[in-house]
Amino acid sequence: MFQTFSTLVIAFFIGAIAIVHTQACIAQDPVEELSIDQLDNSNIRVATYNVSLYGSKAGEVAQRMADGKDKQAEKLAAVIQTVRPDILLLNEVDYDQAGTVANAFAEKFLAVPQGDRQPLDYPYVYSVPTNTGLRSGLDLDGNGKLTDPVDAWGFGMYEGQYALAVLSRYPIVTDEVRTFQKFLWRDFPNAKRPVHPTTGEPYFPDDIWEQLRLSSKNHVDVPIEVGDERIHLLASHPTPPVFDGPEDHNGCRNHDEIKFWEHYLSATDADWIVDDQGKSGGLEKDAYFVIAGDLNSDPIEGDSQKDAMQKLLAHSLVQDCKPRWLGQKDPAKTQTALFGRDRMMRIDYVIPSSQFRVVESGVFWPKQFSPDNRLVDATDHRLVWVEVAIP
């Protein structure tokens, strides 16, 4: 829905807006706009943020953050402390089994005041294993080498690059987390196997296609206990649908990585959905969930195969909350990431299930002359959030 005229007028005359609000989701009655200080403590704020916390080699970011004084991490923490999510998905944060970077970020930056902002305590941190940089032992690009970044199960210069992590104020049920890191692309129904458009031959030979994993990072179902209820954070970071050729192999993979969630919501008893723990089937019926992550697909613009994103947003079990950026450009345009000077698209998402009552949602995107504008160069993405209540 569009903002009211009075809201637009106020937004026009205020010189600096740090957090942008939208009134409601599609097919939902408008709700009163609230400031952060006015929000009911019973509401749950969920956010995703591509923080670009990666380096040129393993361990570089962890070393950089060890003393709690890294400039990039300080800016990222300031953004998060402004929005103050209860549940936060970080994209592009280095992974190791100890969760070194995610824990350091939580303890040495988020739990420490950044400027005049209040600290944030996340007692529950879950670092998600990733396919990025994990060597496949296969020559995936056919150049005769086995050690290029593209030859990993997911593109990465080192193991653990571009991973996911979940930070939460509420308990994460770690022994019931479902991961789909090893799920094979070939086992996906009607998989979009890329082909050469001129010859019609498969881009990946049969022996490679039989081994390829669907997820470029991971698909993960993280159950979180919020009072008497359980919320499933469904997190992923599909591969960018670019950096390939006319066969569009990255676009095909991005499409099916997004479509995986459509099946996971609908195919509760599907025996082909098998997680890394050996459990089959999709999400249980009537479960509360939030789909979150840098999905690398704008449903209208860009290079992705847009039908997957369009169908996911139109799914009967979700609410498409469209955060608005009220900047110099079209105020009705939904934007979460910046590519170059002028190309802005919606590729980061927080999509709640239909049972929630959505209070508001937004994107942290300060206006040009806001004091907070100095924070946004820490990454090329913007933090996206939604405030929900359990009826």
Side-chain angles (χ1 to χ4, degrees), residues 35 41 48 168 187 196 200 252 270 300 342:
S35 70
N41 289 332
T48 186
S168 177
D187 292 335
H196 292 284
C252 292
I300 300 173
D342 299 311

Side-chain angles (χ1 to χ4, degrees), residues 231-251:
I231 297 174
H232 293 258
L233 186 69
L234 308 181
S236 64
H237 183 182
T239 193
V242 288
F243 310 118
D244 52 17
E247 80 293 332
D248 195 25
H249 70 269
N250 284 332

Side-chain angles (χ1 to χ4, degrees), residues 240-268:
V242 288
F243 310 118
D244 52 17
E247 80 293 332
D248 195 25
H249 70 269
N250 284 332
C252 292
R253 190 178 190 181
N254 174 275
H255 176 280
D256 285 355
E257 288 191 77
I258 293 170
K259 199 168 183 64
F260 177 87
W261 290 129
E262 181 185 342
H263 286 288
Y264 193 70
L265 300 181
S266 302
T268 302

Side-chain angles (χ1 to χ4, degrees), residues 48-51 53 88-96 99 101-103 125-132 160-167 178-180 215-222 233-238 257 261 292-295 348:
T48 186
Y49 196 15
N50 185 323
V51 292
L53 276 175
L88 172 64
L89 173 66
L90 300 178
N91 303 260
E92 295 194 2
V93 55
D94 276 7
Y95 167 83
D96 61 26
V101 171
N103 281 289
V125 178
Y126 177 72
S127 293
V128 182
T130 185
N131 281 325
T132 39
Q161 191 179 24
Y162 308 127
L164 305 171
V166 180
L167 281 59
R178 300 185 69 187
T179 63
F180 295 87
S215 185
S216 55
K217 284 85 177 174
N218 206 332
H219 284 67
V220 58
D221 176 348
V222 181
L233 186 69
L234 308 181
S236 64
H237 183 182
E257 288 191 77
W261 290 129
D294 174 359
L295 301 187
D348 301 271

Side-chain angles (χ1 to χ4, degrees), residues 323-337:
R324 309 291 187 183
W325 173 55
L326 301 182
Q328 299 295 327
K329 299 183 183 298
D330 181 3
K333 193 164 185 59
T334 309
Q335 302 155 329
T336 64

Side-chain angles (χ1 to χ4, degrees), residues 103-116:
N103 281 289
F105 186 54
E107 296 167 7
K108 298 182 179 182
F109 294 90
L110 292 173
V112 175
Q114 302 297 330
D116 59 355

